[in-house]
Amino acid sequence: ERAEPWERVVTCATLIEKSFQTADDKKALVLTIQGLVCETFHKVACPQESAVANYLPILIYLIAVIGFAAVSIILPHLVAPRRPTRVKDMPYESGMDPVGDARKPFDIKFYLIAILFLVFDIELLFVYPWAVSLLAPDGVPQAFRPAVLAVLLVLMATLGLAYMVAYCKGVFDWRRK
């Protein structure tokens, strides 16, 4: 037998008077008040909180993302015109017509530039959040800020040294053989 709404108010008042020593007491109070409001104003029983309901927005977002990706992949194949020509079917290699052997020697400088780009790009990924959290009021605690700044400066010095070594080795000089 369910208690009347006013009896539940008395239960809430009793729970409030108790000292909340466990999370279960707090949860019981919230559920009791929630049920009271539902029953009093909406004349329906309030659904109990479930673990699945907490993850429902994530599930909806995941379905939307997967649906968007599937539609983005399938839709062009269904509606795009197909007019194959000899030029369109020809292999395309970095803006140049593929002529000769595909296994000819390739200048190593392209790889070095790509690796340097990755190094400095990843460095930015580390430095930006580090710098933001260093100066944020709720970021790095005040006592640790000098140590964090020192580590950041060591990282910057190491990357600066790597940049100077690459410059001295002539990685950035495209005309030198």
Side-chain angles (χ1 to χ4, degrees):
E1 176 182 340
R2 294 186 64 91
E4 290 297 319
W6 297 115
E7 291 175 358
R8 296 181 77 185
V9 169
V10 172
T11 305
C12 287
T14 307
L15 283 172
I16 290 171
E17 288 176 8
K18 289 183 182 178
S19 62
F20 295 120
Q21 295 182 1
T22 66
D24 291 336
D25 288 340
K26 292 177 185 177
K27 191 171 186 177
L29 174 64
V30 168
L31 290 175
T32 304
I33 292 172
Q34 184 182 24
L36 175 66
V37 168
C38 289
E39 287 180 9
T40 304
F41 296 106
H42 305 294
K43 305 296 184 207
V44 294
C46 190
Q48 296 298 316
E49 181 181 331
S50 70
V52 176
N54 292 336
Y55 293 103
L56 189 60
I58 297 171
L59 179 64
I60 292 171
Y61 180 71
L62 185 64
I63 290 170
V65 167
I66 291 171
F68 178 76
V71 168
S72 296
I73 291 171
I74 295 170
L75 191 64
H77 290 288
L78 298 176
V79 297
R82 289 181 184 77
R83 294 186 191 97
T85 64
R86 192 167 161 220
V87 174
K88 287 181 182 177
D89 290 338
M90 202 169 101
Y92 180 77
E93 297 291 333
S94 301
M96 302 171 67
D97 292 332
V99 180
D101 186 20
R103 286 159 182 66
K104 66 182 180 179
F106 194 68
D107 193 3
I108 192 70
K109 288 185 181 186
F110 293 109
Y111 296 113
L112 291 175
I113 292 295
I115 289 171
L116 283 174
F117 172 75
L118 287 175
V119 166
F120 290 109
D121 190 44
I122 290 174
E123 170 248 342
L124 180 66
L125 289 175
F126 282 118
V127 170
Y128 183 74
W130 215 347
V132 169
S133 68
L134 184 65
L135 296 177
D138 58 343
V140 178
Q142 193 71 29
F144 295 121
R145 287 185 182 183
V148 170
L149 183 61
V151 170
L152 180 64
L153 292 176
V154 167
L155 174 69
M156 295 300 289
T158 304
L159 290 170
L161 182 65
Y163 184 79
M164 290 306 297
V165 167
Y167 181 77
C168 291
K169 292 282 186 180
V171 172
F172 304 116
D173 188 11
W174 287 98
R175 290 181 177 79
R176 194 172 86 175
K177 287 284 180 181

